[in-house]
Amino acid sequence: MCIFCKIVNNEIPSNKVLENDDFLAFHDLNPKAPAHILAIPKQHFDSFNDVTPEVMGKMTSFIQEIAKEVGIDKSGYRVITNIGENGGQEVKHLHWHVLGGTKLKWGHFSDSDTKGSF
Ligand code: 5GP
Ligand code: ZN
């Protein structure tokens, strides 16, 4: 079972922000902004590559709720999902980084050069 499935099953503790039947949000262990929340579907998907439009639709509302709950909806925030090796995905359970609480630098999350192969 993957590490985020273990968090869903309460086998690993997490600092929860919001939860419903389908999704869970908790603080990132290693925050990269004053607010750094991870939003995950309870159902395991390896990454964005595998998620269904139905789950994504509900995920949108959930992320909007997180931003309100944390109080960053008006000041602004960033939503990111890393996909696969080039995307820098470390945990292979679909998750969204919800970052805010300060003026975010764009370069931090796109700090590669523009040359490469794909
Ligand atoms: P990725 O690099 O896969 O997009 O992001 C994985 C994120 O999960 C990282 O920001 C990392 O700090 C966070 N993370 C990894 N393990 C744990 C954990 O056990 N608990 C929490 N709360 N966050 C974790
Ligand atoms: Zn999982």
Side-chain angles (χ1 to χ4, degrees), residues 3-4 7 12-15 26-32 36 38 82 88-92 95 97:
I3 189 166
F4 285 178
I7 286 178
I12 294 177
S14 69
N15 191 354
F26 50 94
H27 290 275
D28 195 293
L29 204 56
N30 199 352
K32 294 176 177 67
H36 186 171
L38 299 174
N82 295 325
Q89 184 183 5
E90 282 170 13
V91 177
K92 308 299 190 264
H95 54 280
H97 298 261

Side-chain angles (χ1 to χ4, degrees), residues 1-6 8 40-46 91-94:
M1 190 187 291
C2 91
I3 189 166
F4 285 178
C5 282
K6 285 184 181 166
V8 169
I40 66 170
K42 291 185 175 178
Q43 184 184 351
H44 180 99
F45 298 94
D46 282 350
V91 177
K92 308 299 190 264
H93 180 130
L94 172 64

Side-chain angles (χ1 to χ4, degrees), residues 86 115-118:
N86 277 1
K115 293 192 175 67
S117 58
F118 50 88

Side-chain angles (χ1 to χ4, degrees), residues 13-73:
S14 69
N15 191 354
K16 288 179 191 172
V17 173
L18 213 58
E19 182 171 14
N20 66 24
D21 286 348
D22 300 318
F23 303 102
L24 177 64
F26 50 94
H27 290 275
D28 195 293
L29 204 56
N30 199 352
K32 294 176 177 67
H36 186 171
I37 317 298
L38 299 174
I40 66 170
K42 291 185 175 178
Q43 184 184 351
H44 180 99
F45 298 94
D46 282 350
S47 80
F48 179 77
N49 275 342
D50 304 312
V51 73
T52 61
E54 190 199 0
V55 171
M56 274 310 303
K58 293 182 186 168
M59 189 99 225
T60 303
S61 307
F62 188 66
I63 291 171
Q64 289 166 348
E65 274 181 55
I66 293 168
K68 282 195 189 119
E69 175 72 22
V70 177
I72 55 174
D73 55 321

